[in-house]
Amino acid sequence: MANTFGYGGMTNHLGDMQFSKFILVIGANPAVNHPVSMVHILRAKESGAKIVCVDPHFSKTAAKADEYVRIRSGTDVAFVYGMINYIVEQKLYDEKYLKERVYGYEEIFKEAKKYPLNVTSDITGIPAETIKSVATQMAKAKPASLIWNQGLTQHTVGTSNTRIMPILQLILGNIGKNGGGVNILRGHDNVQGASDMGNLSDTLPGYYGLGEGPWKHFCKHWYVDYEWMKGRFKSKEMMEKTGYALSTWRFGVLDEENFGNNANTPLKALVVIGNGISTTSLLDKTKAALDKLDLVVFIDPYVNDVAVITERKDNLFLLPAASQMETSGSVAATNRAYQWRYQVMKPMFECREDHEILFDLAERLGFKEEFQRSLYEIAKKEGRKEFIWPDDATTEMAQSIRSIALQGMSAKRLKEHCDNWHMFDKVTLGGYGPMKNQYYGLPWPCWSDKHPGTPVMYNDSIPVMQGGMGFRVNWGEKAPDGTSMLSSRKLPNAKIGGHLAITADNIESVLGIKLSAKEKEAVKGTTFATGTTNILVEKALEAGICPYGNGKARMVVWNWYDKIPLHREPLHSIRQDLVSKYPTFPDKKDLFRANVRFESEQKKDWKKDYPLNMLTGRLVAHMGTGTETRSAKYLAEIAHTMFVEIHPNTAFNLGIKDKDDVWVYGVGGTRILVKAKLSYRVDENSVFLPQNFSGVYSGESLLDRYPDGTKPYAIGEAASLVVGYGYDYNTACPETKSGLCRVEKA
């Protein structure tokens, strides 16, 4: 099952923001969601950077910004096109950068002309002068950084949002620059690692696809036969098919029309390991699916909230997992850097570490030997009979995940960084003394055990062995229109300029070298991202080039439905007058195995019955669902009551006073009972709900359902019960950041 929240990663890193002159924060609230990141942002401000926060909700980040810009939720693409149009009109873009490093910018300029300041203002609700001012400030600041998070991803146009932001930075020449880049903040200590390791149902680890080639690559590293692996699936087609997502699995249980996307079989069992699935939209559908499944298992240090919400009476298991303090291994930070975490204490009581649980499960399913084989093979190479956990698992990970270049991340190097963390500069990440010529955490790509890691991606002004790189050539040598996708620039000390990704077939012609017969045999049929040796990569590094090529970033994705980002109104839009001009996508079949509604959902005039924009977000006192933090006495005391923020004028018109009990109704006919909190942090057309509560379901307390000794100190309604239907067209990420609701006094 895929977790499709917040796809991406930082091009730069947190300390690097101190080189910024301007920081645009849009679709993110780091003061609440990423407090450590916010420290770095404030240090950048102290160093002279101007902070502009764009958000429909006046957040804690907005309170610390130099300027706050209120935007209508779901209109980010239109806002950026308005900025681009003005930037182009004023010739504030980096023309040289675009000609040398970017493909398709002419199409973006053409689309941007549809968004003059007055049109953009009407769509977004932002005054024309403000759009002009933000565009001018950002364009003239050299460099400028851009930060986003789930406020951009959790929309039907989430993918377009996360495309238009790098496009803006490319137009300004800010990608590949210290103090620039696009910096997507991860919410927990290993979200990036979970993504890197393939906890998405459309990729294998390292973002390899699901085709035969990637499967054979991993089978080789796992020391298992490809035909055996294929036999684990009903068919080769299902082996290579995108699975369910965290947002779509419910439909594989409840809706017969979706069974055909799953080999004509409904889902029958669910195992949840450390995931707060109660924050996903349509909580009523989650509950119905949990009630219907044959088997449900939760593996977590705390009682998972939906285990309390479901009404099933049997085949529901809660297994205690060890916490992060009771485990060890590598975790990946938001900047692509890996850090070693030592075990602080042994697991308490019946709690077990994740790998032990999975080893036992594999044994009961009949493939423990195959599951562990690579670990024993690594041990055997070092003269040991038993593998060492997690060190050997880290070795297997590093050797197999070559697509993003983890092969330089040995457990030994990561431990050295952890033990000598004080020997690294906090702004540049560069090491001193014994850590010299390395960047802390070896941020990927880290091409070899001699490579320092890459603190700033796409920086082609420094040599590859100092972390330099161009843009990856992943789309072929030429675009469909015949334009070369190779860059005209070259890295310092590089033998050549623009070039394709290195493969066994092209290495001799690209680098002008000759491989020995032994080397040719060792790399036969492989690329820089496949195989079991690092010969191709090492030869590329010797020639001063980046193994994955040196090409142009593409703004036009010719194989997608929206070849360039387009503004499309939310499914449940408060601006019904704009729906016909900016309609959503057509309905889509088999999106992460679910048939998903788009235009058929948008056809109804939802605003008539649900007149308020509904915004959701986190509270700084609580993490995720609040499962852990609402069980912490002092944190529960800080944020103890679920509420809805509503503008005083709107509340007055509805006959609602501060702290009144109110019902919030979602477009799906669901409702939650919460306290009204009168606030100017929202505009008169919007309300805001925190997403961190559970333990109350549509007005009914579920506190008595918690096992003895596990009741949290604070309970409340889950906002996800009233978050409406809607999913990103490409990733199936739920549209939690733009919807409609109705509020009534209870």
Side-chain angles (χ1 to χ4, degrees):
M1 187 187 300
N3 185 342
T4 47
F5 295 93
Y7 214 86
M10 297 179 77
T11 59
N12 296 42
H13 58 90
L14 299 178
D16 182 74
M17 291 181 194
Q18 293 186 50
F19 295 111
S20 303
K21 301 301 181 186
F22 181 98
I23 300 176
L24 180 67
V25 182
I26 181 167
N29 183 12
V32 166
N33 303 333
H34 318 94
V36 175
S37 304
M38 192 65 190
V39 171
H40 291 271
I41 294 169
L42 293 177
R43 284 175 180 160
K45 184 178 179 181
E46 290 171 357
S47 299
K50 179 165 184 180
I51 315 298
V52 173
C53 178
V54 180
D55 199 313
H57 178 244
F58 187 82
S59 64
K60 290 183 182 292
T61 301
K64 290 291 186 180
D66 294 287
E67 184 176 354
Y68 166 63
V69 178
R70 194 187 297 279
I71 188 174
R72 177 168 69 93
S73 181
T75 65
D76 306 283
V77 171
F79 170 60
V80 175
Y81 270 132
M83 289 180 64
I84 291 172
N85 183 56
Y86 186 75
I87 286 166
V88 173
E89 284 180 353
Q90 301 299 310
K91 299 192 181 327
L92 295 173
Y93 56 94
D94 192 330
E95 186 174 11
K96 182 175 184 290
Y97 185 99
L98 289 173
K99 286 182 176 179
E100 292 179 343
R101 302 195 68 184
V102 179
Y103 167 79
Y105 61 89
E106 301 90 347
E107 287 296 310
I108 297 296
F109 287 6
K110 182 180 176 182
E111 179 67 19
K113 286 183 178 179
K114 300 175 184 177
Y115 295 87
L117 292 174
N118 62 323
V119 171
T120 307
S121 178
D122 178 56
I123 295 171
T124 64
I126 302 172
E129 285 302 313
T130 301
I131 299 167
K132 184 194 300 187
S133 172
V134 173
T136 303
Q137 291 178 72
M138 188 169 183
K140 290 186 175 180
K142 301 294 181 185
S145 178
L146 199 158
I147 293 171
W148 82 74
N149 193 244
Q150 294 172 359
L152 289 190
T153 60
Q154 293 178 3
H155 295 270
T156 54
V157 292
T159 302
S160 292
N161 286 342
T162 58
R163 289 173 63 197
I164 199 68
M165 299 303 163
I167 285 172
L168 173 62
Q169 285 290 69
L170 287 166
I171 287 170
L172 297 175
N174 283 324
I175 302 288
K177 304 285 180 67
N178 287 105
V182 286
N183 297 301
I184 307 94
L185 302 178
R186 299 301 209 171
H188 301 279
D189 72 343
N190 200 30
V191 173
Q192 185 66 49
S195 181
D196 293 349
M197 293 304 110
N199 288 344
L200 295 162
S201 64
D202 58 344
T203 72
L204 287 167
Y207 311 97
Y208 289 80
L210 296 175
E212 182 176 315
W215 274 113
K216 286 184 174 178
H217 167 74
F218 277 99
C219 285
K220 187 175 292 185
H221 281 275
W222 294 335
Y223 296 89
V224 296
D225 180 67
Y226 168 74
E227 292 298 324
W228 175 86
M229 181 65 78
K230 190 167 68 173
R232 305 300 305 172
F233 296 83
K234 184 169 185 177
S235 64
K236 187 174 188 289
E237 177 191 4
M238 296 305 293
M239 182 184 195
E240 298 177 359
K241 179 181 172 67
T242 295
Y244 283 106
L246 178 60
S247 57
T248 63
W249 70 270
R250 288 89 50 93
F251 307 127
V253 181
L254 300 173
D255 301 334
E256 191 171 344
E257 68 170 287
N258 292 304
F259 299 168
N261 301 327
N262 193 49
N264 298 313
T265 306
L267 283 180
K268 299 177 181 178
L270 178 71
V271 179
V272 181
I273 306 180
N275 193 307
I277 64 173
S278 62
T279 56
T280 310
S281 59
L282 305 182
L283 183 60
D284 57 323
K285 301 298 183 187
T286 298
K287 177 183 180 300
L290 290 171
D291 291 346
K292 189 175 181 180
L293 286 163
D294 293 348
L295 172 68
V296 178
V297 181
F298 294 102
I299 304 172
D300 207 298
Y302 288 78
V303 176
N304 195 297
D305 288 312
V306 289
V308 175
I309 291 170
T310 179
E311 295 180 27
R312 63 182 306 118
K313 302 300 181 185
D314 55 18
N315 287 338
L316 171 65
F317 297 90
L318 307 180
L319 305 182
S323 69
Q324 63 181 24
M325 300 298 176
E326 300 163 304
T327 61
S328 62
S330 64
V331 292
T334 189
N335 67 314
R336 300 165 284 105
Y338 278 66
Q339 302 175 70
W340 195 263
R341 185 165 64 200
Y342 287 107
Q343 186 181 51
V344 176
M345 57 191 292
K346 294 293 183 182
M348 297 178 67
F349 309 113
E350 295 178 300
C351 293
R352 303 184 70 196
E353 296 181 61
D354 292 341
H355 69 281
E356 291 183 348
I357 297 170
L358 293 175
F359 287 162
D360 276 2
L361 179 60
E363 182 173 30
R364 285 160 173 77
L365 293 174
F367 56 84
K368 182 180 180 181
E369 181 184 344
E370 291 83 0
F371 194 48
Q372 295 182 333
R373 188 172 293 159
S374 65
L375 302 177
Y376 280 109
E377 289 293 334
I378 290 167
K380 189 189 302 181
K381 288 178 182 177
E382 297 189 5
R384 294 183 272 111
K385 290 185 178 179
E386 297 295 330
F387 64 80
I388 299 172
W389 183 273
D391 301 52
D392 291 339
T394 304
T395 298
E396 185 248 278
M397 168 196 85
Q399 291 179 354
S400 61
I401 299 179
R402 296 160 180 266
S403 52
I404 55 173
L406 301 190
Q407 56 263 52
M409 292 183 184
S410 65
K412 179 177 180 291
R413 286 186 89 185
L414 293 179
K415 287 179 179 180
E416 286 175 347
H417 281 222
C418 180
D419 296 342
N420 294 281
W421 64 269
H422 56 289
M423 299 298 292
F424 292 89
D425 188 277
K426 294 178 181 178
V427 177
T428 67
L429 303 187
Y432 304 114
M435 297 294 103
K436 188 178 179 181
N437 298 324
Q438 297 184 69
Y439 295 108
Y440 184 71
L442 305 168
W444 59 256
C446 183
W447 295 106
S448 72
D449 57 6
K450 296 180 179 62
H451 192 266
T454 307
V456 176
M457 296 186 83
Y458 316 122
N459 184 351
D460 68 353
S461 67
I462 57 176
V464 66
M465 286 306 290
Q466 292 178 23
M469 61 196 298
F471 291 115
R472 181 175 178 177
V473 182
N474 204 30
W475 334 113
E477 186 171 353
K478 292 185 177 180
D481 63 6
T483 302
S484 172
M485 294 301 290
L486 303 183
S487 174
S488 61
R489 297 161 64 102
K490 75 175 191 176
L491 301 179
N493 305 330
K495 287 179 64 176
I496 56 174
H499 62 90
L500 291 170
I502 298 301
T503 69
D505 293 335
N506 72 14
I507 187 169
E508 292 183 325
S509 60
V510 170
L511 298 185
I513 62 173
K514 288 290 182 183
L515 298 182
S516 68
K518 185 177 180 181
E519 288 172 332
K520 284 184 178 180
E521 184 59 31
V523 301
K524 185 177 179 181
T526 68
T527 72
F528 78 94
T530 60
T532 56
T533 78
N534 217 32
I535 292 173
L536 297 179
V537 168
E538 295 287 0
K539 297 288 185 184
L541 297 179
E542 287 171 15
I545 69 166
C546 183
Y548 74 18
N550 182 9
K552 293 181 177 180
R554 64 171 183 169
M555 291 184 179
V556 177
V557 182
W558 50 79
N559 51 325
W560 279 15
Y561 187 85
D562 278 357
K563 294 176 175 54
I564 60 173
L566 298 177
H567 169 59
R568 296 178 180 276
E569 280 292 311
L571 290 194
H572 311 103
S573 174
I574 201 167
R575 289 291 304 273
Q576 286 294 312
D577 57 309
L578 295 179
V579 168
S580 60
K581 188 174 182 182
Y582 305 104
T584 189
F585 301 94
D587 293 359
K588 191 170 187 178
K589 290 188 177 296
D590 204 2
L591 175 62
F592 287 84
R593 302 199 185 184
N595 299 332
V596 178
R597 303 188 303 274
F598 288 91
E599 61 182 356
S600 62
E601 179 76 11
Q602 195 182 53
K603 282 180 180 178
K604 181 178 174 180
D605 183 359
W606 293 98
K607 185 188 174 185
K608 189 171 76 172
D609 295 322
Y610 303 94
L612 293 171
N613 261 324
M614 179 169 58
L615 313 172
T616 64
R618 296 182 233 181
L619 298 174
V620 70
H622 296 310
M623 290 185 66
T625 62
T627 300
E628 295 178 52
T629 51
R630 287 183 293 103
S631 296
K633 183 165 54 176
Y634 298 110
L635 291 174
E637 185 178 348
I638 293 169
H640 48 77
T641 303
M642 176 60 177
F643 59 88
V644 57
E645 283 183 1
I646 185 168
H647 194 280
N649 292 348
T650 307
F652 178 81
N653 292 333
L654 294 173
I656 295 170
K657 296 180 180 178
D658 193 43
K659 299 182 182 177
D660 277 352
D661 287 331
V662 297
W663 287 105
V664 180
Y665 291 83
V667 294
T670 52
R671 66 177 189 170
I672 58 175
L673 183 64
V674 299
K675 291 285 185 184
K677 183 177 182 179
L678 273 56
S679 173
Y680 291 102
R681 295 175 70 183
V682 290
D683 62 23
E684 294 185 38
N685 297 315
S686 305
V687 298
F688 172 84
L689 293 165
Q691 67 180 44
N692 307 103
F693 285 87
S694 194
V696 177
Y697 190 90
S698 201
E700 178 190 352
S701 172
L702 307 179
L703 197 58
D704 291 341
R705 294 191 188 178
Y706 284 87
D708 291 344
T710 68
K711 295 178 182 179
Y713 291 103
I715 62 171
E717 294 271 17
S720 54
L721 184 56
V722 289
V723 171
Y725 186 97
Y727 302 93
D728 178 78
Y729 194 73
N730 297 286
T731 68
C733 193
E735 187 168 49
T736 69
K737 303 304 182 190
S738 183
L740 295 177
C741 68
R742 181 175 75 254
V743 179
E744 296 178 358
K745 187 173 180 179

